[in-house]
Amino acid sequence: THKLHQTEERRSKRKKKRNKIRAMHQHAQPPLICILAGQSDMVGRGEPEKLSEEFASFVAGGGDRKHSISVLYEIDFLGREGASSDSGGEFRPLNKTAQFSNAGGRYSFGPEWGIADAILRSDCATNNWQDIYFIKFAAGSTNLHEDWAPGGELFPRLISLVKHGVKMAAERCCHNANRSKHDDEDQADNKSAQIVEVEEMERSLMQNQTAFFWLQGHSDAGGKAIMRSNYADNFGKFCKSLRENLLGISNTENKDISKCNDSKNKPSFSSVPENLNLPIIASEYGCLVNPNSKSSIRFAKRLKEVNLALRETCETLAGGREKQHRMSLADSKKNDSNTGDVSDPIPCLFASFPFEDNTFHLSYHADGHYDNNGLLSLGRNMGYHFCECFLSEQSQKT
């Protein structure tokens, strides 16, 4: 009887500790995870040493609220523009020496600085998370038709890196919840509980706190005609496979986005936006055009075809909305168009260029890659679209 009583006491003690941990998680601020994928401009030819100290300090320091911003990267895996490089499988603080590119033979950056700047300056995003993690997988001179296709070389590497990064973010999130110390006799049970908690946190972060940013199209525009004509279909398949691999659901099983308001589907955090449901933000792509070169003008026309295909696919996946810059997550349950299969809409947005904004400047290096101003403008535009379309209404509800 005495042993039975001791066993019950230990069980009760463990239950109280588990409930305490869950309570701390409910009041913890989760991270925001931004997946970055694409070709050489997503890798980036930005020159960090030319960033102003004021701007670099603001972004690297996490803005006014001092968020922690980190980047995990693997770039140029196929080595077509230079040997591959990575962050050693670890998140590095976002600063001027965070990324080294063998393609440029120097420290460099892509759109992540602009995306981070837009998010940090967004009124709706100030209280929704503590840390921001960028997971970047990009490779120069790669096409969607073959390289990024679900059966291509890059797709499984992308999925692998994302899952690795989200797991590390989940481990950090659990660790930062100020868990109570366990007695030596509870260590085995505690270790098992930690594994379960991290796995639960991974699923929660992937579903509720992760967004995907896409910058690709040059190689398909400059490649075979079939790459351009099939770009819409290829991107649609890519998005559906991406969600199936990361969320564990097929398109036919995709949770109705309108259910995000359901209390059972809310993430286990107190100050979090409604379920993001892995939104996809695909940027328009520009190019340096030489008006005296017929080949340059021809390429610009072909790139326009790819941009149009990308826009139409985003609209179709999202349920056919024509004015996506007004779209919110709650609107996705509405069928206001007959375009595409809208029974299971995917939160997908085409980030078109705001040329009417005099602060938006697309500028390039001589080799055609975006320079610092071009990358910052491009990144801010993607970040702005993300905040306006997927965070603003959710933030108002929290």
Side-chain angles (χ1 to χ4, degrees), residues 225-245:
I226 192 174
M227 294 182 176
R228 297 188 297 279
S229 62
N230 284 9
Y231 196 90
D233 185 53
N234 289 338
F235 187 65
K237 291 178 180 178
F238 173 86
C239 292
K240 292 172 184 177
S241 294
L242 180 80
R243 292 172 60 77
E244 181 176 353
N245 279 271

Side-chain angles (χ1 to χ4, degrees), residues 137-153:
F137 183 76
S141 298
T142 54
N143 62 71
L144 174 63
H145 190 70
E146 297 170 341
D147 303 318
W148 290 97
E153 289 188 76

Side-chain angles (χ1 to χ4, degrees), residues 311-321 324 339-342 345-346:
R311 176 193 289 272
E312 291 177 347
T313 306
C314 287
E315 292 176 356
T316 299
L317 292 174
R321 277 167 293 278
Q324 291 193 58
T339 305
D341 178 11
V342 295
I346 292 174

Side-chain angles (χ1 to χ4, degrees), residues 44-50 73 75 85 96 99-109 365 372:
R45 296 294 190 272
E47 300 170 295
E49 71 276 7
K50 293 183 179 181
Y73 72 87
I75 53 179
S85 58
K96 293 184 179 183
Q99 173 182 293
F100 186 87
S101 171
N102 288 315
R106 54 178 296 125
Y107 290 110
S108 64
F109 69 88
H365 292 297
N372 280 24

Side-chain angles (χ1 to χ4, degrees), residues 221-344:
K224 299 176 182 178
I226 192 174
M227 294 182 176
R228 297 188 297 279
S229 62
N230 284 9
Y231 196 90
D233 185 53
N234 289 338
F235 187 65
K237 291 178 180 178
F238 173 86
C239 292
K240 292 172 184 177
S241 294
L242 180 80
R243 292 172 60 77
E244 181 176 353
N245 279 271
L246 295 182
L247 299 180
I249 52 175
S250 65
N251 193 46
T252 56
E253 298 170 332
N254 183 19
K255 186 186 73 173
D256 188 343
I257 302 173
S258 64
K259 293 181 182 178
C260 294
N261 295 321
D262 208 81
S263 60
K264 293 185 297 182
N265 295 310
K266 285 186 177 181
S268 56
F269 300 103
S270 60
S271 59
V272 154
E274 300 287 343
N275 189 329
L276 281 179
N277 200 21
L278 192 61
I280 296 168
I281 300 89
S283 177
E284 183 174 356
Y285 218 143
C287 65
L288 181 63
V289 181
N290 180 355
N292 298 317
S293 169
K294 291 183 179 180
S295 61
S296 178
I297 295 174
R298 183 167 58 250
F299 175 79
K301 290 181 179 179
R302 291 176 175 175
L303 184 59
K304 188 175 180 180
E305 292 178 34
V306 170
N307 280 325
L308 180 60
L310 191 57
R311 176 193 289 272
E312 291 177 347
T313 306
C314 287
E315 292 176 356
T316 299
L317 292 174
R321 277 167 293 278
E322 296 177 358
K323 297 182 178 180
Q324 291 193 58
H325 63 285
R326 298 290 184 187
M327 184 183 72
S328 68
L329 199 58
D331 292 330
S332 60
K333 63 182 178 180
K334 301 176 183 177
N335 178 4
D336 50 69
S337 171
N338 294 322
T339 305
D341 178 11
V342 295
S343 60
D344 292 300

